[in-house]
Amino acid sequence: MAVAGIICEYDPFHLGHLRQLDLLRAKLGPDTAVVAAMSGHFVQRGMPAAWDKFVRAEAAVAAGVDLVLELPLTGVLSSAEGFARAGVRLLDSLGLVDVLCFGAECGDAGALMDLAGRMETGAFRAALRQALDRGLSYAAARQQAAEDAAGLLSRPNNILGLEYCRALRALGSAMTPLAVARESDYHALAPDPAQPSATSLRAMLPGGGWQPYVPPAVARVLSPAPLYDLSYGERAVLARLRGMSVAQWQRCAHGSEGLWSKAWRASGQAATVAEWIGLVKSKRYPQTRIQRLLLCAYLGITQADLTRPVPYGRILACNDRGRRLLRQAKQTGSLPLVNAGAVPPDRDYFQLECRAADLFALLVEPNRLPCCGSERITPDQLKKKKK
């Protein structure tokens, strides 16, 4: 039996993700086991997930994933490079994943691995520095320095796939990359019937209409669950920003190159989160970085926190085959695996996770009461608490 790993957010799991599972099992065999390293309550674009991590993990298993592990929070809120490396390290640590599968516009893992190799050379780094010194944006400078004639670095899924390949090389992982061609627009606002973008489905929230674009089993899990959004807890976010000291802003993740100072000043002026983002963003920094800075400030995550290695793997959901994988991982793995609700070996990191979960709860939709302590109880106990 082959074991495939997928680094994902499933916000939400949609028909395009189901297609990836189908193509993966068509290539590797119908009995292929799938392990997902999934973002938790927050996602890499610097936003809270639309549903909490336990609900999204349950939906993923209902759709055919066998085991869902949580991507560590500090990896999720890192750059694309840090996000990819955290996911690859987590899956690789199990000692049983054969293939890393991801979507990419080019659908060619070999081309992305070749490009990843070119970007590790001294010649690439020198060319990148020269392009940046000429005033090019980082994205344009990187594409020019890589001599990316095929335009691989101009498409979002290719870029993330490239980071997965770079992480595989950097960590010396034995996992083989497998790219599944993704032809739909990652940022499309109108959902494609066969391969909708998660962006388009989130745009339908909370009004409804997204259900036909996800597998029926997923809709049954997600539909009754509460929604989360920054706008629902805007005053809590702004209160945190306004209460931060200059020293706290200086230590905040993603605040380097003086960006923290701009963010600190904006916190004393902005009346809304959108206004704060507008005051801080510039041509130099993509909006996703500003949003990650915002979340790290709200959650109290420092730049030093982002450099911490993955201390353990947290189990979010699994089926019978997933439980067999967990038993095997106890023999082959190099990282402790912790059930939801259990206290992990790294207490300091656990406290960071607990704080983030409790602050995430404040971003729940208005007709729901925010819970507290969700990281310290099992998903079943959490369900009872929310009723």
Side-chain angles (χ1 to χ4, degrees):
M1 177 185 72
V3 180
I6 297 175
I7 301 170
C8 58
E9 302 205 295
Y10 292 157
D11 188 33
F13 188 107
H14 53 64
L15 295 178
H17 296 129
L18 184 63
R19 174 179 176 271
Q20 180 186 17
L21 295 186
D22 291 342
L23 292 174
L24 173 61
R25 287 181 167 132
K27 185 174 182 63
L28 301 181
D31 63 341
T32 298
V34 177
V35 181
M38 187 191 78
S39 299
H41 290 318
F42 298 93
V43 293
Q44 205 267 334
R45 67 182 183 279
M47 285 288 165
W51 289 269
D52 75 52
K53 62 187 179 183
F54 300 113
V55 169
R56 289 171 22 251
E58 180 184 350
V61 171
V65 175
D66 298 299
L67 171 62
V68 182
L69 302 177
E70 182 177 357
L71 259 171
L73 177 65
T74 50
V76 170
L77 294 182
S78 295
S79 63
E81 179 181 357
F83 176 87
R85 187 162 295 202
V88 169
R89 183 179 285 117
L90 177 60
L91 292 173
D92 190 64
S93 72
L94 299 175
L96 51 77
V97 179
D98 306 300
V99 171
L100 177 65
C101 182
F102 53 86
E105 289 87 357
C106 70
D108 187 348
L112 293 174
M113 283 294 281
D114 289 343
L115 181 56
R118 294 204 304 274
M119 292 177 66
E120 293 170 5
T121 65
F124 168 79
R125 288 189 288 272
L128 177 64
R129 183 72 267 163
Q130 291 173 3
L132 289 171
D133 290 344
R134 292 198 304 273
L136 292 181
S137 68
Y138 180 78
R142 182 175 58 174
Q143 185 167 355
Q144 184 177 107
E147 299 179 354
D148 181 26
L152 296 178
L153 291 173
S154 65
R155 306 296 298 277
N157 287 286
N158 284 346
I159 292 171
L160 193 52
L162 171 68
E163 295 299 345
Y164 294 147
C165 291
R166 293 182 67 192
L168 289 172
R169 293 176 63 95
L171 299 173
S173 174
M175 293 189 293
T176 301
L178 173 63
V180 172
R182 176 168 181 161
E183 299 173 358
S184 60
D185 184 355
Y186 179 77
H187 297 295
L189 293 179
D192 181 280
Q195 298 184 65
S197 70
T199 301
S200 67
L201 300 190
R202 288 192 298 270
M204 295 180 173
L205 303 175
W210 53 269
Q211 290 87 344
Y213 302 99
V214 307
V218 170
R220 286 193 291 271
V221 175
L222 297 182
S223 293
L227 295 172
Y228 294 81
D229 190 81
L230 273 180
S231 64
Y232 298 147
E234 187 165 54
R235 290 193 176 185
V237 175
L238 292 173
R240 167 62 180 165
L241 300 187
R242 293 182 182 186
M244 289 175 63
S245 67
V246 170
Q248 287 173 318
W249 275 112
Q250 288 175 321
R251 294 192 297 270
C252 187
H254 301 297
S256 60
E257 300 176 307
L259 188 57
W260 69 266
S261 180
K262 194 175 182 182
W264 169 60
R265 290 194 301 272
S267 300
Q269 304 171 33
T272 66
V273 167
E275 184 182 357
W276 184 92
I277 292 173
L279 289 171
V280 179
K281 72 178 182 180
S282 67
K283 292 181 180 179
R284 182 178 177 86
Y285 304 108
Q287 182 165 324
T288 50
R289 173 170 170 172
I290 306 305
Q291 291 170 180
R292 287 193 292 273
L293 169 62
L294 172 70
L295 278 190
C296 288
Y298 176 57
L299 301 176
I301 295 175
T302 67
Q303 191 62 42
D305 288 330
L306 292 191
T307 65
R308 299 177 67 168
V310 179
Y312 50 79
R314 184 173 292 281
I315 304 161
L316 295 181
C318 61
N319 58 20
D320 288 341
R321 183 156 53 184
R323 280 184 277 273
R324 292 195 294 272
L325 291 175
L326 288 172
R327 289 193 291 270
Q328 184 180 345
K330 288 183 178 180
Q331 306 300 319
T332 60
S334 58
L335 198 67
L337 295 176
V338 181
N339 285 308
V343 177
D346 189 321
R347 298 296 184 91
D348 288 341
Y349 199 89
F350 181 53
Q351 289 304 313
L352 185 154
E353 290 185 311
C354 289
R355 182 174 70 245
D358 291 343
L359 291 172
F360 172 77
L362 297 178
L363 308 179
V364 71
E365 58 186 314
N367 61 330
R368 306 279 188 141
L369 288 176
C371 64
C372 192
S374 64
E375 204 69 11
R376 304 171 184 86
I377 59 179
T378 67
D380 287 341
Q381 291 171 326
L382 182 60
K383 285 181 181 179
K384 294 177 182 177
K385 190 174 182 179
K386 288 180 176 179
K387 288 182 178 180

